[in-house]
Amino acid sequence: MTPATRHPPGELRDREAHREWGAGLHEDGFGLGPSDEIDSPEGFAAWVALLADESGPKAVETGRGCTYRWIIEGDRVHGGIALRHGLNDRVLQFGHIGYGIRPSSRRRGLATWALGRILDEARALGLDRVLIVCELDNLASVKTVEHHGGVLEGVQDTEHGPVRRYWIKI
């Protein structure tokens, strides 16, 4: 497994993963929002520029930054993981860490592997604990988070349905 780089894996490979997921909120680790359009070269370039701004030194210095990593093996994009810096309203709502593994790549331990790597980065940023939020019935994420020592804070209703809130001490 090749660790993901600081730069997106490439327009065609990422678009293939995006098409496999289909529409929805389940691509958290990529930093891909519902309004982001990546099907055209221009849209893909605009999305990459947005991620670069969020990952840039100015955003990191203000505590609003986000570290994005892609999970790549060979030329295949398997998923992505994001580490939101600081502790603000967005982090309290969505968690410090969000990740997603494309459906055809699941059940291989990739999320567990990626979460371990991003926890190392969180530690290097000086975080002593991180919040992870997952859908109530996402048992694969529950298993991944608990594997890394996640302690359930509770269940909360959100506009997208009930979620579990876990803290991991690092």
Side-chain angles (χ1 to χ4, degrees):
M1 181 70 49
T2 304
T5 63
R6 294 182 188 276
H7 303 286
E11 181 177 340
L12 294 177
R13 291 180 296 186
D14 188 60
R15 287 168 52 189
E16 174 189 305
H18 177 62
R19 279 191 298 276
E20 183 179 323
W21 256 298
L25 298 172
H26 40 260
E27 293 179 76
D28 190 19
F30 283 100
L32 187 61
S35 64
D36 293 320
E37 186 276 308
I38 65 166
D39 289 330
S40 69
E42 298 80 17
F44 187 83
W47 173 63
V48 170
L50 176 69
L51 294 184
D53 285 346
E54 290 180 7
S55 301
K58 188 174 184 179
V60 172
E61 288 171 9
T62 63
R64 295 186 324 247
C66 188
T67 300
Y68 294 99
R69 299 288 184 256
W70 286 265
I71 304 163
I72 302 168
E73 185 175 41
D75 65 351
R76 183 170 168 84
V77 176
H78 293 286
I81 189 163
L83 170 62
R84 299 174 190 98
H85 306 179
L87 188 60
N88 53 39
D89 289 341
R90 180 169 169 75
V91 169
L92 290 173
Q93 181 179 1
F94 297 107
H96 285 97
I97 298 171
Y99 54 87
I101 304 296
R102 70 192 285 176
S104 64
S105 297
R106 293 178 183 158
R107 303 186 61 84
R108 294 182 49 204
L110 295 172
T112 301
W113 173 83
L115 181 55
R117 303 299 73 75
I118 208 76
L119 288 172
D120 292 339
E121 293 196 42
R123 186 178 300 107
L125 285 173
L127 296 173
D128 59 354
R129 68 183 192 142
V130 294
L131 174 65
I132 300 181
V133 177
C134 70
E135 293 176 358
L136 182 65
D137 61 351
N138 186 341
L139 300 181
S141 278
V142 168
K143 184 177 176 181
T144 297
V145 172
E146 290 179 352
H147 174 86
H148 285 285
V151 175
L152 182 65
E153 174 189 82
V155 175
Q156 180 178 20
D157 287 325
T158 71
E159 64 186 71
H160 303 293
V163 297
R164 297 175 194 240
R165 297 171 54 84
Y166 285 92
W167 287 93
I168 296 178
K169 188 172 183 170
I170 52 177

Short mmCIF file of all heavy atoms in Angstrom, two decimals, residues 4-48:
data_model
loop_
_atom_site.label_atom_id
_atom_site.label_comp_id
_atom_site.label_asym_id
_atom_site.label_seq_id
_atom_site.Cartn_x
_atom_site.Cartn_y
_atom_site.Cartn_z
N ALA A 4 -1.00 7.76 0.90
CA ALA A 4 -1.51 8.83 0.06
C ALA A 4 -0.62 10.04 0.16
O ALA A 4 0.04 10.28 1.15
CB ALA A 4 -2.93 9.18 0.49
N THR A 5 -0.59 10.79 -0.91
CA THR A 5 0.26 11.97 -0.98
C THR A 5 -0.52 13.21 -0.62
O THR A 5 -1.73 13.17 -0.41
CB THR A 5 0.82 12.12 -2.39
OG1 THR A 5 -0.27 12.33 -3.27
CG2 THR A 5 1.60 10.89 -2.82
N ARG A 6 0.19 14.34 -0.59
CA ARG A 6 -0.46 15.61 -0.29
C ARG A 6 -1.28 16.11 -1.46
O ARG A 6 -2.07 17.01 -1.33
CB ARG A 6 0.59 16.66 0.07
CG ARG A 6 1.32 16.36 1.35
CD ARG A 6 2.30 17.47 1.65
NE ARG A 6 3.12 17.13 2.77
CZ ARG A 6 2.77 17.29 4.04
NH1 ARG A 6 1.62 17.82 4.33
NH2 ARG A 6 3.58 16.96 5.00
N HIS A 7 -1.09 15.55 -2.62
CA HIS A 7 -1.77 16.02 -3.81
C HIS A 7 -2.79 14.98 -4.27
O HIS A 7 -2.58 13.79 -4.10
CB HIS A 7 -0.76 16.29 -4.93
CG HIS A 7 0.28 17.28 -4.52
ND1 HIS A 7 0.01 18.61 -4.41
CD2 HIS A 7 1.56 17.12 -4.15
CE1 HIS A 7 1.10 19.24 -4.00
NE2 HIS A 7 2.05 18.35 -3.83
N PRO A 8 -3.88 15.43 -4.88
CA PRO A 8 -4.87 14.47 -5.37
C PRO A 8 -4.25 13.48 -6.34
O PRO A 8 -3.29 13.80 -7.04
CB PRO A 8 -5.90 15.36 -6.08
CG PRO A 8 -5.73 16.70 -5.45
CD PRO A 8 -4.26 16.80 -5.10
N PRO A 9 -4.79 12.28 -6.41
CA PRO A 9 -4.20 11.20 -7.19
C PRO A 9 -4.29 11.39 -8.69
O PRO A 9 -3.54 10.78 -9.42
CB PRO A 9 -5.01 9.98 -6.76
CG PRO A 9 -6.29 10.55 -6.26
CD PRO A 9 -5.97 11.88 -5.67
N GLY A 10 -5.14 12.16 -9.17
CA GLY A 10 -5.28 12.35 -10.61
C GLY A 10 -6.74 12.38 -10.98
O GLY A 10 -7.55 11.65 -10.42
N GLU A 11 -7.02 13.21 -11.93
CA GLU A 11 -8.42 13.47 -12.29
C GLU A 11 -9.19 12.20 -12.64
O GLU A 11 -10.26 11.95 -12.10
CB GLU A 11 -8.44 14.45 -13.45
CG GLU A 11 -9.82 14.82 -13.89
CD GLU A 11 -9.76 15.84 -15.00
OE1 GLU A 11 -8.74 16.52 -15.17
OE2 GLU A 11 -10.76 15.93 -15.70
N LEU A 12 -8.67 11.37 -13.52
CA LEU A 12 -9.43 10.21 -13.97
C LEU A 12 -9.62 9.18 -12.88
O LEU A 12 -10.70 8.63 -12.72
CB LEU A 12 -8.75 9.58 -15.20
CG LEU A 12 -8.76 10.46 -16.44
CD1 LEU A 12 -8.00 9.77 -17.57
CD2 LEU A 12 -10.17 10.79 -16.88
N ARG A 13 -8.58 8.92 -12.10
CA ARG A 13 -8.70 7.92 -11.04
C ARG A 13 -9.67 8.38 -9.97
O ARG A 13 -10.45 7.58 -9.45
CB ARG A 13 -7.33 7.63 -10.44
CG ARG A 13 -6.44 6.89 -11.42
CD ARG A 13 -5.11 6.61 -10.82
NE ARG A 13 -4.44 7.88 -10.57
CZ ARG A 13 -3.20 8.00 -10.17
NH1 ARG A 13 -2.49 6.94 -9.93
NH2 ARG A 13 -2.65 9.17 -9.97
N ASP A 14 -9.64 9.66 -9.60
CA ASP A 14 -10.54 10.14 -8.58
C ASP A 14 -11.98 10.16 -9.09
O ASP A 14 -12.91 9.84 -8.37
CB ASP A 14 -10.13 11.53 -8.10
CG ASP A 14 -10.95 11.97 -6.92
OD1 ASP A 14 -10.91 11.26 -5.91
OD2 ASP A 14 -11.67 12.96 -7.04
N ARG A 15 -12.17 10.52 -10.34
CA ARG A 15 -13.51 10.54 -10.91
C ARG A 15 -14.10 9.14 -10.96
O ARG A 15 -15.29 8.94 -10.75
CB ARG A 15 -13.49 11.21 -12.29
CG ARG A 15 -13.30 12.73 -12.15
CD ARG A 15 -13.00 13.43 -13.42
NE ARG A 15 -13.94 13.12 -14.49
CZ ARG A 15 -13.76 13.50 -15.74
NH1 ARG A 15 -12.69 14.20 -16.08
NH2 ARG A 15 -14.64 13.22 -16.66
N GLU A 16 -13.26 8.14 -11.21
CA GLU A 16 -13.73 6.75 -11.21
C GLU A 16 -14.24 6.36 -9.83
O GLU A 16 -15.30 5.76 -9.69
CB GLU A 16 -12.58 5.83 -11.63
CG GLU A 16 -12.91 4.35 -11.55
CD GLU A 16 -11.66 3.50 -11.77
OE1 GLU A 16 -11.00 3.68 -12.81
OE2 GLU A 16 -11.37 2.68 -10.89
N ALA A 17 -13.48 6.70 -8.79
CA ALA A 17 -13.91 6.40 -7.42
C ALA A 17 -15.20 7.14 -7.09
O ALA A 17 -16.12 6.58 -6.49
CB ALA A 17 -12.81 6.78 -6.43
N HIS A 18 -15.28 8.40 -7.49
CA HIS A 18 -16.47 9.21 -7.24
C HIS A 18 -17.70 8.59 -7.90
O HIS A 18 -18.77 8.51 -7.29
CB HIS A 18 -16.22 10.63 -7.76
CG HIS A 18 -17.38 11.55 -7.62
ND1 HIS A 18 -17.93 11.88 -6.40
CD2 HIS A 18 -18.11 12.22 -8.55
CE1 HIS A 18 -18.93 12.72 -6.59
NE2 HIS A 18 -19.06 12.93 -7.89
N ARG A 19 -17.58 8.14 -9.14
CA ARG A 19 -18.70 7.52 -9.83
C ARG A 19 -19.14 6.23 -9.13
O ARG A 19 -20.32 5.93 -9.06
CB ARG A 19 -18.34 7.25 -11.29
CG ARG A 19 -18.47 8.47 -12.17
CD ARG A 19 -18.36 8.11 -13.64
NE ARG A 19 -17.09 7.52 -14.01
CZ ARG A 19 -15.99 8.23 -14.31
NH1 ARG A 19 -16.03 9.53 -14.27
NH2 ARG A 19 -14.88 7.63 -14.64
N GLU A 20 -18.17 5.47 -8.61
CA GLU A 20 -18.54 4.23 -7.92
C GLU A 20 -19.36 4.53 -6.66
O GLU A 20 -20.30 3.81 -6.35
CB GLU A 20 -17.28 3.44 -7.54
CG GLU A 20 -17.63 2.11 -6.89
CD GLU A 20 -16.41 1.30 -6.52
OE1 GLU A 20 -15.41 1.32 -7.27
OE2 GLU A 20 -16.45 0.64 -5.47
N TRP A 21 -19.00 5.59 -5.94
CA TRP A 21 -19.76 5.96 -4.74
C TRP A 21 -21.16 6.43 -5.10
O TRP A 21 -22.10 6.18 -4.39
CB TRP A 21 -19.06 7.11 -4.01
CG TRP A 21 -18.34 6.72 -2.79
CD1 TRP A 21 -18.87 6.16 -1.67
CD2 TRP A 21 -16.95 6.88 -2.53
NE1 TRP A 21 -17.89 5.97 -0.73
CE2 TRP A 21 -16.70 6.40 -1.24
CE3 TRP A 21 -15.90 7.40 -3.25
CZ2 TRP A 21 -15.46 6.43 -0.66
CZ3 TRP A 21 -14.66 7.43 -2.68
CH2 TRP A 21 -14.43 6.94 -1.40
N GLY A 22 -21.27 7.19 -6.16
CA GLY A 22 -22.54 7.82 -6.48
C GLY A 22 -22.74 9.06 -5.65
O GLY A 22 -21.89 9.44 -4.83
N ALA A 23 -23.86 9.71 -5.84
CA ALA A 23 -24.15 10.97 -5.14
C ALA A 23 -24.35 10.71 -3.65
O ALA A 23 -24.82 9.66 -3.24
CB ALA A 23 -25.38 11.62 -5.73
N GLY A 24 -23.99 11.70 -2.84
CA GLY A 24 -24.24 11.59 -1.40
C GLY A 24 -23.14 12.19 -0.57
O GLY A 24 -22.20 12.80 -1.07
N LEU A 25 -23.25 11.98 0.73
CA LEU A 25 -22.34 12.58 1.70
C LEU A 25 -21.25 11.62 2.16
O LEU A 25 -20.62 11.84 3.17
CB LEU A 25 -23.15 13.03 2.94
CG LEU A 25 -24.20 14.09 2.69
CD1 LEU A 25 -25.03 14.29 3.94
CD2 LEU A 25 -23.52 15.39 2.29
N HIS A 26 -21.00 10.53 1.47
CA HIS A 26 -20.15 9.47 1.96
C HIS A 26 -18.71 9.52 1.47
O HIS A 26 -18.01 8.54 1.54
CB HIS A 26 -20.77 8.12 1.59
CG HIS A 26 -21.36 8.13 0.22
ND1 HIS A 26 -22.69 8.30 0.03
CD2 HIS A 26 -20.80 8.07 -1.00
CE1 HIS A 26 -22.94 8.30 -1.27
NE2 HIS A 26 -21.81 8.16 -1.91
N GLU A 27 -18.25 10.64 0.99
CA GLU A 27 -16.87 10.77 0.53
C GLU A 27 -16.10 11.75 1.40
O GLU A 27 -15.29 12.52 0.91
CB GLU A 27 -16.84 11.21 -0.94
CG GLU A 27 -17.40 10.17 -1.87
CD GLU A 27 -17.38 10.63 -3.30
OE1 GLU A 27 -16.29 10.62 -3.91
OE2 GLU A 27 -18.45 11.00 -3.81
N ASP A 28 -16.31 11.70 2.69
CA ASP A 28 -15.77 12.70 3.60
C ASP A 28 -14.27 12.87 3.49
O ASP A 28 -13.76 13.98 3.50
CB ASP A 28 -16.17 12.35 5.03
CG ASP A 28 -15.85 13.47 6.00
OD1 ASP A 28 -15.66 14.61 5.57
OD2 ASP A 28 -15.79 13.19 7.20
N GLY A 29 -13.52 11.81 3.41
CA GLY A 29 -12.07 11.91 3.41
C GLY A 29 -11.48 12.66 2.23
O GLY A 29 -10.33 13.08 2.26
N PHE A 30 -12.26 12.84 1.18
CA PHE A 30 -11.77 13.54 0.00
C PHE A 30 -11.95 15.05 0.10
O PHE A 30 -11.44 15.78 -0.72
CB PHE A 30 -12.49 13.06 -1.26
CG PHE A 30 -12.01 11.74 -1.75
CD1 PHE A 30 -12.71 10.59 -1.48
CD2 PHE A 30 -10.84 11.64 -2.48
CE1 PHE A 30 -12.27 9.36 -1.93
CE2 PHE A 30 -10.39 10.42 -2.94
CZ PHE A 30 -11.11 9.28 -2.66
N GLY A 31 -12.75 15.53 1.03
CA GLY A 31 -13.05 16.95 1.06
C GLY A 31 -13.96 17.35 -0.07
O GLY A 31 -14.00 18.50 -0.48
N LEU A 32 -14.71 16.40 -0.60
CA LEU A 32 -15.59 16.63 -1.73
C LEU A 32 -16.98 16.96 -1.22
O LEU A 32 -17.61 16.15 -0.54
CB LEU A 32 -15.63 15.38 -2.61
CG LEU A 32 -16.36 15.48 -3.94
CD1 LEU A 32 -15.71 16.54 -4.83
CD2 LEU A 32 -16.32 14.13 -4.64
N GLY A 33 -17.43 18.17 -1.49
CA GLY A 33 -18.74 18.60 -1.04
C GLY A 33 -19.80 18.41 -2.09
O GLY A 33 -19.49 18.20 -3.27
N PRO A 34 -21.07 18.50 -1.69
CA PRO A 34 -22.17 18.30 -2.64
C PRO A 34 -22.15 19.29 -3.81
O PRO A 34 -22.60 18.97 -4.89
CB PRO A 34 -23.42 18.50 -1.79
CG PRO A 34 -22.99 18.39 -0.39
CD PRO A 34 -21.54 18.73 -0.35
N SER A 35 -21.61 20.47 -3.60
CA SER A 35 -21.60 21.47 -4.68
C SER A 35 -20.34 21.41 -5.54
O SER A 35 -20.24 22.13 -6.53
CB SER A 35 -21.76 22.87 -4.09
OG SER A 35 -20.65 23.17 -3.27
N ASP A 36 -19.37 20.57 -5.18
CA ASP A 36 -18.15 20.46 -5.97
C ASP A 36 -18.42 19.66 -7.23
O ASP A 36 -19.00 18.58 -7.19
CB ASP A 36 -17.03 19.78 -5.16
CG ASP A 36 -16.57 20.62 -3.99
OD1 ASP A 36 -16.47 21.85 -4.15
OD2 ASP A 36 -16.32 20.04 -2.92
N GLU A 37 -17.98 20.20 -8.35
CA GLU A 37 -18.17 19.55 -9.65
C GLU A 37 -16.80 19.11 -10.14
O GLU A 37 -15.93 19.94 -10.39
CB GLU A 37 -18.82 20.56 -10.62
CG GLU A 37 -19.20 19.97 -11.96
CD GLU A 37 -18.04 19.93 -12.93
OE1 GLU A 37 -17.39 20.97 -13.15
OE2 GLU A 37 -17.79 18.85 -13.48
N ILE A 38 -16.59 17.80 -10.25
CA ILE A 38 -15.27 17.32 -10.67
C ILE A 38 -15.33 16.56 -11.99
O ILE A 38 -14.34 15.96 -12.40
CB ILE A 38 -14.62 16.43 -9.59
CG1 ILE A 38 -15.41 15.14 -9.36
CG2 ILE A 38 -14.42 17.19 -8.30
CD1 ILE A 38 -14.66 14.09 -8.58
N ASP A 39 -16.46 16.58 -12.67
CA ASP A 39 -16.59 15.84 -13.92
C ASP A 39 -15.93 16.52 -15.11
O ASP A 39 -15.67 15.88 -16.11
CB ASP A 39 -18.06 15.56 -14.23
CG ASP A 39 -18.64 14.52 -13.27
OD1 ASP A 39 -17.88 13.65 -12.81
OD2 ASP A 39 -19.83 14.61 -12.97
N SER A 40 -15.63 17.79 -14.99
CA SER A 40 -14.93 18.49 -16.07
C SER A 40 -13.52 18.81 -15.60
O SER A 40 -13.27 18.91 -14.39
CB SER A 40 -15.65 19.80 -16.41
OG SER A 40 -15.51 20.73 -15.35
N PRO A 41 -12.58 18.99 -16.51
CA PRO A 41 -11.22 19.38 -16.11
C PRO A 41 -11.21 20.69 -15.30
O PRO A 41 -10.47 20.82 -14.34
CB PRO A 41 -10.48 19.53 -17.43
CG PRO A 41 -11.21 18.63 -18.37
CD PRO A 41 -12.66 18.71 -17.95
N GLU A 42 -12.06 21.62 -15.67
CA GLU A 42 -12.12 22.90 -14.95
C GLU A 42 -12.64 22.71 -13.53
O GLU A 42 -12.12 23.30 -12.58
CB GLU A 42 -13.00 23.91 -15.70
CG GLU A 42 -12.51 24.28 -17.07
CD GLU A 42 -12.85 23.24 -18.14
OE1 GLU A 42 -13.75 22.37 -17.91
OE2 GLU A 42 -12.21 23.28 -19.21
N GLY A 43 -13.71 21.92 -13.41
CA GLY A 43 -14.28 21.65 -12.09
C GLY A 43 -13.31 20.92 -11.19
O GLY A 43 -13.18 21.22 -10.00
N PHE A 44 -12.61 19.94 -11.76
CA PHE A 44 -11.61 19.20 -10.98
C PHE A 44 -10.50 20.13 -10.51
O PHE A 44 -10.09 20.10 -9.35
CB PHE A 44 -11.03 18.06 -11.83
CG PHE A 44 -10.12 17.15 -11.06
CD1 PHE A 44 -10.63 16.11 -10.29
CD2 PHE A 44 -8.74 17.32 -11.09
CE1 PHE A 44 -9.80 15.26 -9.58
CE2 PHE A 44 -7.89 16.48 -10.38
CZ PHE A 44 -8.42 15.45 -9.62
N ALA A 45 -10.02 21.02 -11.39
CA ALA A 45 -8.97 21.98 -11.04
C ALA A 45 -9.44 22.92 -9.94
O ALA A 45 -8.68 23.24 -9.01
CB ALA A 45 -8.52 22.76 -12.27
N ALA A 46 -10.69 23.37 -10.00
CA ALA A 46 -11.23 24.26 -8.96
C ALA A 46 -11.30 23.53 -7.62
O ALA A 46 -10.98 24.11 -6.57
CB ALA A 46 -12.60 24.77 -9.38
N TRP A 47 -11.68 22.26 -7.64
CA TRP A 47 -11.75 21.48 -6.41
C TRP A 47 -10.36 21.30 -5.80
O TRP A 47 -10.17 21.47 -4.59
CB TRP A 47 -12.42 20.13 -6.71
CG TRP A 47 -12.41 19.17 -5.56
CD1 TRP A 47 -13.03 19.33 -4.36
CD2 TRP A 47 -11.77 17.91 -5.52
NE1 TRP A 47 -12.80 18.22 -3.56
CE2 TRP A 47 -12.04 17.34 -4.26
CE3 TRP A 47 -10.99 17.19 -6.43
CZ2 TRP A 47 -11.55 16.09 -3.88
CZ3 TRP A 47 -10.52 15.95 -6.05
CH2 TRP A 47 -10.80 15.41 -4.78
N VAL A 48 -9.37 20.98 -6.63
CA VAL A 48 -8.00 20.82 -6.14
C VAL A 48 -7.50 22.14 -5.54
O VAL A 48 -6.86 22.15 -4.49
CB VAL A 48 -7.06 20.33 -7.27
CG1 VAL A 48 -5.61 20.40 -6.84
CG2 VAL A 48 -7.43 18.91 -7.67
#
